[in-house]
Amino acid sequence: MLTQKLIETLKPYGVFEEEEELQRRILILGKLNNLVKEWIREISESKNLPQSVIENVGGKIFTFGSYRLGVHTKGADIDALCVAPRHVERSDFFTSFYEKLKQQEEVKDLRAVEEAFVPVIKLCFDGIEIDILFARLALQTIPEDLDLRDDSLLKNLDIRCIRSLNGCRVTDEILHLVPNIDNFRLTLRAIKLWAKRHNIYSNILGFLGGVSWAMLVARTCQLYPNAIASTLVHKFFLVFSKWEWPNPVLLKQPEECNLNLPVWDPRVNPSDRYHLMPIITPAYPQQNSTYNVSVSTRMVMVEEFKQGLAITDEILLSKAEWSKLFEAPNFFQKYKHYIVLLASAPTEKQRLEWVGLVESKIRILVGNLEKNEFITLAHVNPQSFPAPKENPDKEEYRTMWVIGLVFKKTENSENLSVDLTYDIQSFTDTVYRQAINSKMFEMDMKIAARHVKRKQLHQLLPNHVLQKKKKHSTEGIRLTALNDSSLDLSMDSDNSTSVPSPTSAMKTSPLNSSGSSQGRSSPAPAVTAASVTNTQASEVTVPQINSSESSGGTSNESIPQTATQPAISPPPKPTISRIVPSAYLLNPSPRSSGNVATKMPSPVAAVKRTSSPHKEESPKKIKIEEQDEISEDTSCIDLNEHEKMETKEQIETEMNVNSQTETLQTTSLQAPQKTPSTDLSDIPALPANPIPVIKNSIKLRLNR
């Protein structure tokens, strides 16, 4: 009965595809499969293979991800893998097969991304978006009944082929390891919808992606093999609200195949010991699918698990309906302080590239903020929004993200200065340098960060986003005056977080292609970058907020013993020291402050940056003191940044010529990552010549 009610509740959200649409997908994949076979035969003939081999050469399209798991939603894309025999080269896939696709009249929006971490061809085939990876196996022919779970297939393979195979191998292994596939699928549909509605579905921003959610649901199914879907949803929240992180979630015992590939193992790899929420893929080589998770994102997700448990407890007692579980909380009423991050570019094409890069680095900013000793939580909303233009006459495309902040309660101090300069500056440094190193940077590509109070969010965000109407303060934030007509209300969001409400299930929002594919779209390399800005500091008095949050419902229900007894327990974390200078030099000349931070594998909750810089160290600081007591509604902050970007050529010249300039080297502070020597890692070493930086100061004073 409860399971049937769950299905009825899910239907309006568009999580189930019509049979007609499903058959259309199967037909399209059949056409694509025939194209692959035809192409491989042509390649074989051109390489003068024997006719007997050509007739049986094979070749096949495999699927993975949500489609293969059977949990794809209406209009979702298909993740596919083209498997070819040993005589077909990767270069053939990106030349002759690309040309063959180009000739098909059903194919639109064809583009190849050959230099990606996992190389891919993207296309729209008869209205359905498909991403095709390529793997060349060490076989003369590809049989129809090929099982990609066979570890021996990985022998002598190129690392890119191993990465490409990984998605299929993990998906197939998950399906093989769950006791009841139908119950698993319905439970996963419910959990994925819940995660999207609660803004915790985004691998690239440090939450969980599709594969990670699938593995958590699969583990729940293993622990309760006879439970139906409605029970499994409740058990999911029970298990993971009480899970003792960082104990890993494992669907099977790791097996060593002696293929010498790097695998997740904290006993061997020191960097693996810092992973905060490890969920380990079941197929060799085993990897942690959640290396992006940070202290804050884990805190947010655990809190959501607890809330989910409280709600499902009510549902099982018939005190609430399933619809309550899928109610979207209002992120913009949750916190009193926010950082608004704006990315702008002069053209739409440049905006897409720029937004993709900035989004892939936001987790570094979250990691930086977490280490500020006065910040308890930095919660980034995975949804991005179109930002209002600063200058209506100038052609400019702007996107913004919002990060909620919780400050620690101060006990001994009436006024407390909090300096976010270093946190934000090192993030912008990273983004600019990455853009320059990858030859992507163009003039007028900018990043700006602003502190905004809850009362002022209405000046930036569309009305339909701010659900609860409240009286707003209109002073204190220097922004272009807005009215509703000046805002583009379309959501600019990654398809991993775009969820229609039941009333608008058919009106899907435009999708941002960046970060949409868990498991193959890896974050861009985390290296330092440069930002050249004017020095402007503002210090204001703002009220201190309460950092305590409700812990959600609790349950005394027992969890099977295996739930918290993983095969691998990470060793105790070593003590980490961090060197932080006692002062920041805020100097208008193009000279950095010379801050140096020790390398750390990932953020650890206990490691915080210590004292904020003293007031005297900011020669251009504007000190604002209010004579009268300021109420929360009218206290405000002025953090309008005037960015002065130099051309790429000027910056590069400065790198080469200005030999006497001190440099700023910051390490990427995002959550878990692999060591540079690891083959499956996408994190290269830091570049040798950091770019000179002019600091831009953002300081707050907390008033109890």
Side-chain angles (χ1 to χ4, degrees), residues 367-380:
N368 291 353
L369 292 169
E370 285 171 349
K371 286 177 184 57
N372 190 300
E373 63 171 334
F374 303 114
I375 293 178
T376 303
L377 183 77
H379 180 186
V380 59

Side-chain angles (χ1 to χ4, degrees), residues 328-333 462-470:
N330 192 341
F331 175 83
F332 304 104
Q333 295 294 331
N463 280 343
H464 74 276
V465 173
L466 303 170
Q467 296 162 3
K468 295 181 182 177
K469 296 282 184 181
K470 283 195 173 184

Side-chain angles (χ1 to χ4, degrees), residues 90 117 156-165 261-262 285 678-681:
R90 182 174 293 276
F117 183 69
N156 305 317
L157 286 198
D158 170 83
I159 188 65
R160 290 170 299 179
C161 290
I162 292 173
R163 288 185 193 133
S164 298
L165 284 165
L261 293 171
T678 300
D679 283 343
L680 295 184
S681 169

